[in-house]
Amino acid sequence: MRFPSEPFKIKVVEPIRRTTREERERLLQEAGYNLFQVPAESVYVDLLTDSGTSAMSDDQWAGMMLGDESYAGSKNYYHFEEVARSIFGYTHVIPTHQGRMAENLLFSTVVKPGMCVPNNIHFDTTRANIEHQHAEALDLVIKEAYDPHCDIPFKGNMDLVRLEETINRVGQAQIPLAMLTITNNSGGGQPVSMENIRRTRSLLNRYGIPLFFDACRFAENCFFIHEREPGYAETSILDIARELFSYGDGCTMSAKKDGLVNIGGFLSLNHDQWAQDITNMLILVEGFPTYGGLAGRDLEAMARGLREVLDEDYLRFRIGQVRYLGELLDAAGVPILKPIGGHAVYLNAKEFLPHVRRDEYPGQALVVALYREYGIRGVEIGTVMFGKTDSASGRTTYPELEMVRLAIPRRVYTNMQIAYVAESLIELYRHRDRIGGLTLTYEAPVLRHFTARFQELPPHRNTG
Ligand code: P61
């Protein structure tokens, strides 16, 4: 089957409300044309994120009823620890309320001012948490990752030549760890191959530098290895995951993605001294080590979710549903990033709206138009999220890619809703010349995309 059907049936439904175009127009104005500021109940299909938006299974909900809310030594922690060890294989398992806290604890413990942390591409919270330590977050993905048309199987791979150059340039003592984000979210949800991971590991070994995974979407990455990498077609997803993590020294995890939960995360690692320092900090800012900012029931749901996500039928459907949307769009000529990612389809906003100048935020303009016309919410992953304006010179640095991400929540939408999204976008693409750009009227100093405000520029301003 090219697009496998759902390997589940629906037991509970949440009604969604249709809104009128006038209502959406008003909401957009009130939100300063920032979709993060629009109430979710006024969104028809919400593709803002796949993070924390999964539908949990009946088994996970049943587990919630078995929550042991003891302050210390909750049985759910031990279950979660056992599951995490059986997949990731690292000695210490430290729960946190979500991914960025795992990042914060790790980096505040091991990263010192002036140091450098290479990654394929850092996600924005990872970058922000490293920069918060006055260190450099360096992106070293292979150059093909920046070509939206280059259709290769492992576009999330690390550029090993540049990694070695970096080590020689800054010195190994200045690199407390290197990271690999699997799949590479900011580069289009693209996987990293086992071979690249193995080679990254052996390069880092030569310099004694630890390797950590940003493991948010590890199961999706493992599925791509299963599907695409020679030698893994007969290997189970669990065994692929075990091999993959065996090349690392630890991982940070937002379980809101491939943990199939609405809240939760963790940090897992082998280094005893780091783990002790991190645990001391955890107690200060998050909670006791056997709950780490979560309820016992959340730990139970996470333990069960981590097992479920490795199911091959589930992953085949999951990756297939994202591919279904991507292929409908591609067949109609809508410009998307190739190949189609694991958790999302990424629209190429530069090609979708060639008449909107870069400094008029084509990605954000597309997000606004998609909501106004069809009630669909996507997220800009481009200049608003990653661009930087220098306050002294007023000059903006632009990221290489200008994208709109349509992230598909796990087990939430039916393929009819996905088809609605495709039809809407195909229609919007036909009328793309009616869409104008935006001007930025407010930005916060960090992670500006959450609270930025915009004004619309008149349509056709740049169409000549
Ligand atoms: C997302 F607009 N991702 O993709 P936390 N690493 C990676 C992530 O994808 C990630 C985190 C770490 C989100 C949520 C999100 O500005 C934004 O559990 C590869 O969210 O703390 C999160 O995990 C952090 C969306 C986060 C954003 C920050 O939609």
Side-chain angles (χ1 to χ4, degrees):
M1 285 271 176
R2 179 119 190 87
F3 302 115
S5 60
E6 291 79 354
F8 50 80
K9 55 184 177 174
I10 298 168
K11 200 188 306 251
V12 176
V13 293
E14 176 185 336
I16 38 181
R17 197 169 68 91
R18 296 268 195 177
T19 48
T20 61
R21 191 179 187 281
E22 291 67 43
E23 194 178 347
R24 295 194 292 272
E25 183 67 68
R26 177 178 56 75
L27 288 166
L28 278 170
Q29 279 172 24
E30 286 169 10
Y33 299 93
N34 183 340
L35 273 291
F36 280 100
Q37 305 295 325
V38 168
E41 353 171 75
S42 307
V43 177
Y44 179 56
V45 181
D46 200 348
L47 307 183
L48 182 77
T49 180
D50 63 322
S51 178
T53 51
S54 302
M56 292 206 297
S57 67
D58 52 0
D59 186 60
Q60 284 177 292
W61 280 107
M64 298 280 283
M65 290 305 290
L66 302 176
D68 166 4
E69 306 306 341
S70 308
Y71 192 92
S74 158
K75 70 174 182 204
N76 310 114
Y77 171 75
Y78 297 118
H79 182 207
F80 158 66
E81 183 189 43
E82 175 206 317
V83 172
R85 282 217 188 109
S86 75
I87 301 168
F88 302 91
Y90 306 125
T91 325
H92 304 279
V93 181
I94 301 168
T96 59
H97 78 278
Q98 63 180 78
R100 69 197 72 179
M101 179 52 89
E103 294 164 358
N104 184 282
L105 290 166
L106 176 66
F107 302 142
S108 61
T109 304
V110 310
V111 177
K112 306 289 171 231
M115 285 184 163
C116 167
V117 180
N119 199 334
N120 44 6
I121 304 188
H122 289 277
F123 190 61
D124 66 349
T125 56
T126 322
R127 168 172 293 282
N129 272 299
I130 291 167
E131 290 176 353
H132 190 62
Q133 301 303 323
H134 305 285
E136 186 188 8
L138 196 62
D139 295 335
L140 294 178
V141 72
I142 51 170
K143 64 177 184 326
E144 290 86 344
Y146 296 108
D147 175 359
H149 301 284
C150 177
D151 195 342
I152 54 170
F154 292 103
K155 224 175 163 178
N157 281 355
M158 181 73 101
D159 184 333
L160 294 158
V161 173
R162 285 169 70 213
L163 179 60
E164 187 151 27
E165 275 168 15
T166 303
I167 300 170
N168 291 328
R169 180 173 53 83
V170 305
Q172 66 205 69
Q174 287 298 94
I175 305 181
L177 74 161
M179 295 190 81
L180 279 171
T181 303
I182 54 171
T183 56
N184 184 23
N185 189 7
S186 309
Q190 304 293 329
V192 181
S193 72
M194 194 73 91
E195 196 204 345
N196 187 257
I197 293 169
R198 222 180 281 127
R199 290 178 56 207
T200 305
R201 174 77 220 197
S202 58
L203 171 61
L204 294 172
N205 270 353
R206 295 214 300 277
Y207 297 93
I209 298 170
L211 173 63
F212 273 63
F213 292 98
D214 177 338
C216 298
R217 299 178 179 86
F218 76 98
E220 291 166 5
N221 199 104
C222 291
F223 185 80
F224 280 125
I225 290 175
H226 178 73
E227 211 183 28
R228 297 178 182 172
E229 192 159 350
Y232 289 94
E234 303 302 324
T235 315
S236 73
I237 306 295
L238 175 62
D239 285 342
I240 293 174
R242 284 178 172 155
E243 181 186 340
L244 184 156
F245 289 110
S246 76
Y247 300 124
D249 299 281
C251 68
T252 56
M253 173 79 185
S254 168
K256 297 172 73 172
K257 286 84 168 168
D258 273 352
L260 296 175
V261 287
N262 306 120
I263 193 74
F266 60 89
L267 178 58
S268 197
L269 70 167
N270 288 333
H271 196 298
D272 295 331
Q273 187 59 51
W274 285 7
Q276 196 180 92
D277 295 346
I278 287 166
T279 303
N280 289 338
M281 185 59 81
L282 180 87
I283 293 170
L284 186 69
V285 298
E286 217 20 8
F288 190 74
T290 58
Y291 75 83
L294 293 168
R297 54 180 172 271
D298 296 327
L299 291 164
E300 188 58 36
M302 186 157 69
R304 293 175 185 221
L306 286 169
R307 282 245 162 87
E308 275 176 25
V309 79
L310 297 169
D311 180 78
E312 211 177 299
D313 274 350
Y314 156 75
L315 283 167
R316 190 166 290 115
F317 160 73
R318 158 74 178 155
I319 304 284
Q321 188 178 46
V322 176
R323 195 170 289 157
Y324 174 56
L325 174 59
E327 291 196 2
L328 288 174
L329 295 176
D330 192 37
V334 177
I336 61 168
L337 182 119
K338 300 277 194 56
I340 296 158
H343 65 297
V345 174
Y346 291 66
L347 303 169
N348 184 346
K350 270 196 249 176
E351 287 180 14
F352 200 113
L353 298 177
H355 57 282
V356 177
R357 285 191 344 227
R358 208 76 203 280
D359 61 349
E360 295 177 353
Y361 307 102
Q364 188 66 18
L366 182 50
V367 163
V368 167
L370 188 58
Y371 177 68
R372 173 186 282 127
E373 303 303 333
Y374 305 102
I376 299 165
R377 174 157 70 172
V379 70
E380 193 255 24
I381 301 213
T383 304
V384 181
M385 192 177 276
F386 288 113
K388 280 207 171 110
T389 311
D390 179 61
S391 49
S393 66
R395 196 170 301 141
T396 303
T397 23
Y398 295 98
E400 302 228 16
L401 297 171
E402 191 73 38
M403 298 183 291
V404 168
R405 187 185 69 176
L406 306 169
I408 316 281
R410 296 169 181 78
R411 308 190 289 209
V412 170
Y413 291 116
T414 64
N415 281 342
M416 280 308 277
Q417 286 161 321
I418 297 297
Y420 168 80
V421 173
E423 278 181 34
S424 303
L425 268 159
I426 293 165
E427 194 174 84
L428 192 67
Y429 186 58
R430 243 183 266 131
H431 302 298
R432 59 190 177 277
D433 54 350
R434 294 186 200 157
I435 302 171
L438 298 159
T439 177
L440 186 68
T441 57
Y442 166 75
E443 62 173 311
V446 280
L447 299 177
R448 66 176 180 174
H449 56 287
F450 288 128
T451 51
R453 294 186 75 81
F454 303 87
Q455 265 169 11
E456 283 199 295
L457 295 165
H460 300 299
R461 187 171 170 271
N462 303 311
T463 49

